[in-house]
Amino acid sequence: MFVLVNGLIAGLGLAAFLALGDGLFDTSTFPVLIDVSYVPGMENLPSIAELLLHLLISVIIAFFLMYFYPREDRGKRTRYLLYWMLGFAVAFLPFSLLSKVPITWTAFCIWICGHLLYTVMLSVQVARNR
């Protein structure tokens, strides 16, 4: 239940942050986050279904992030979270290309900040519930 709730909250926070960034900076990071039209059989999903799929993936990511989260050494925790952030950063390129969204530095920075927020939200909850 802990992972479900925190995965949903962090996923909604990420989606809201990216949507806000898109509105403020005229980028397209939110569509990159939820677009699954490149997956066979999912070409015509409504946006709400794509968002729900994103939230399911967020819960799965939250499970793995929290399950393997190192609790003993601050240095290990920092490295662990930086590896997750690196993975999120690298994911921007293929997902942007698959979604056919123009790649810009502004969009990349919004993507990074949003996923930093996501990672911090989850790591704070793990630290609070040790």
Side-chain angles (χ1 to χ4, degrees):
M1 186 67 153
F2 174 77
V3 170
L4 177 66
V5 170
N6 287 292
L8 288 173
I9 290 170
L12 285 170
L14 171 60
F17 182 87
L18 295 183
L20 178 65
D22 287 351
L24 292 173
F25 298 101
D26 196 30
T27 56
S28 298
T29 55
F30 181 72
V32 170
L33 183 73
I34 67 168
D35 182 31
V36 292
S37 64
Y38 49 83
V39 177
M42 296 187 168
E43 296 89 359
N44 298 315
L45 279 180
S47 294
I48 190 70
E50 290 180 324
L51 179 61
L52 291 173
L53 185 58
H54 156 71
L55 292 175
L56 173 65
I57 292 167
S58 174
V59 170
I60 293 167
I61 290 172
F63 170 78
F64 284 105
L65 190 146
M66 292 174 166
Y67 184 77
F68 294 107
Y69 188 82
R71 300 185 191 306
E72 67 281 347
D73 180 17
R74 184 178 176 99
K76 284 183 181 179
R77 287 192 303 254
T78 301
R79 269 193 316 277
Y80 177 77
L81 294 174
L82 287 173
Y83 289 141
W84 275 98
M85 283 302 305
L86 178 62
F88 293 141
V90 169
F92 180 72
L93 180 63
F95 288 140
S96 292
L97 293 173
L98 288 169
S99 299
K100 298 181 178 123
V101 171
I103 299 171
T104 66
W105 283 109
T106 305
F108 182 69
C109 289
I110 292 169
W111 180 270
I112 294 297
C113 290
H115 282 83
L116 178 62
L117 174 70
Y118 176 83
T119 304
V120 167
M121 289 173 73
L122 291 175
S123 64
V124 165
Q125 288 305 315
V126 169
R128 283 187 181 168
N129 290 295
R130 285 192 206 179

